[in-house]
Amino acid sequence: MNSLFSSPALTLAADSNKHINYRRDADNCLTQVFGAQLPAIETGFFNAHMTKECVVQPHWHTNASELVFVISGEIVTSVFNPFTQQLMTYRLTPGQVSSFPKGWFHWITVLSEHTHFLTIFDVPTPDVVYGSDFLKAIPPEVLNRAYCVDEQNYKQAVAPLQESVILGPPPGCVCGNNPPPVQGMQKHPHHSGHQAAASHPCPSHGQVYVHGYAGQLHNRYPYSN
């Protein structure tokens, strides 16, 4: 028998609203329940509240597959299939889901205001590699040699990526104001009669844990807060 479940101190409940992973502003934030918050959990998750045209930045998980479940609003999930070399996109509304296999590069774009969705993992705590970290780490001379990318242009392009901007665009950004094209996206049929759940605002600033990764490897995965 698992000693965790036989312990008199066993806890089988947690409140994701009390554990903030990243907060962009009052209306865009990620809360969580992972192994650190609920040791008995086997499927950790992010609880996302976001507004129109915000993006969960491109990233991938080295140890987990992910299921996205929409509670209210509308989103587009995008994932790169490494076997077919195709970008797979799905437009989702309340009650609909899509999945990201382990190790596949993916991101989420929000199409409506007051959107609420869960990202559920098949492990208690996922590892993550953020696209912004990957882009910052590549030396410009390597991009130049590999792809003939101009070094100075690349330096300028990645200069705003001073830390992992998990929910983008970052505040003050003036280049991320257009929604993604929807031509060719797969829109699942939405069953009539479904009432979207109400979305709740993010916790107040005083409760917020801001992702502090700024190049220090020891703080890449802030799941223990």
Side-chain angles (χ1 to χ4, degrees), residues 118-135:
L118 301 179
T119 64
I120 306 164
F121 301 90
D122 61 354
V123 296
T125 303
D127 291 334
V128 60
V129 180
Y130 295 115
S132 58
D133 297 342
F134 185 71
L135 292 173

Side-chain angles (χ1 to χ4, degrees), residues 21 62 125-130 209 211 213 216-225:
N21 177 276
T62 59
T125 303
D127 291 334
V128 60
V129 180
Y130 295 115
Y209 173 86
H211 188 291
Y213 175 56
Q216 297 83 13
L217 292 177
H218 66 274
N219 200 29
R220 286 199 62 181
Y221 308 120
Y223 298 136
S224 60
N225 187 56

